[in-house]
Amino acid sequence: MLTRTVIAAALVAAGIAAIPSSAYAATARYTPERICGPGFHRVKDGHRAMKTRGAVFGHVYLMYNKRSGKNCVAAIKSVYQGIRSVTGAYLEVKGGGKSQDEQKYRYYAETGHLDGSWKCVRYAGWTRDPDGRIEAWGGRQSWGNCLG
C-alpha cells in the first residue's frame, strides 16, 4: 500500500497523470463488438490495418454473428479521432448483397448487417486525413471466411 502511494505521489510530482487521456477514452468506447452490436464477434482473418505509405490510420474488422448468420464491418480510426474526415467501410457477400458506408465521421464507419451464413465475403475500410489528400486503406480483396 505504501509503495502505491509513493509511486502515485511521484507521478503527480512529475506532472504525469495516472488516468487515460480523453483520446484514449474515446477510442476505447469504439470497439468493433460495440459498433456492430450484441452477438457479433471478430472472425479469423478478419482484421487489417488501414495503411498508407507505412503509416497506420486505423483498423478494419470483419465481424460475424452466429445466431443471425449476419456479417458486419467496422472501420475504426486511430488518427484524426474526433475530427470529421472521410471514413468508409465496405462488405460484399458472394452471391449476396453489398453494403457500404462512407461519410465524414469522427471515429468510425460501419456497414449494415448482411446475411452471409456459409457464404464467402470480402471487406474493406478506409479513412483520409482531414484535408482529404491522403487515404489509408485496409481489407481483403479476395473471397474468404466461407464456412459460416
Side-chain angles (χ1 to χ4, degrees):
M1 180 68 168
L2 179 60
T3 304
R4 278 192 231 157
T5 305
V6 171
I7 292 171
L11 288 172
V12 170
I16 301 171
I19 58 173
S21 71
S22 60
Y24 173 79
T27 50
R29 288 191 304 233
Y30 302 113
T31 65
E33 291 83 3
R34 285 186 176 180
I35 292 167
C36 288
F40 279 89
H41 300 284
R42 299 174 197 201
V43 300
K44 185 178 180 182
D45 193 34
H47 170 249
R48 299 284 192 280
M50 296 188 294
K51 294 192 264 186
T52 183
R53 298 182 200 152
V56 175
F57 280 25
H59 298 270
V60 59
Y61 300 89
L62 173 64
M63 308 293 287
Y64 184 69
N65 184 318
K66 272 187 175 179
R67 178 173 247 175
S68 69
K70 296 196 181 286
N71 291 286
C72 172
V73 170
I76 306 171
K77 296 172 21 170
S78 59
V79 297
Y80 307 115
Q81 296 167 344
I83 300 169
R84 291 192 182 278
S85 65
V86 172
T87 305
Y90 175 81
L91 171 63
E92 182 177 359
V93 178
K94 191 171 189 177
K98 295 179 189 176
S99 181
Q100 180 172 316
D101 177 27
E102 180 183 61
Q103 291 186 42
K104 287 191 172 185
Y105 287 115
R106 292 179 185 201
Y107 298 100
Y108 66 88
E110 173 209 3
T111 63
H113 298 173
L114 293 180
D115 187 27
S117 185
W118 299 100
K119 295 180 182 174
C120 301
V121 297
R122 55 185 169 191
Y123 67 98
W126 59 93
T127 189
R128 295 187 185 133
D129 70 318
D131 296 328
R133 292 179 295 175
I134 302 169
E135 180 174 278
W137 184 93
R140 190 181 59 225
Q141 295 176 324
S142 62
W143 297 107
N145 297 92
C146 304
L147 302 177

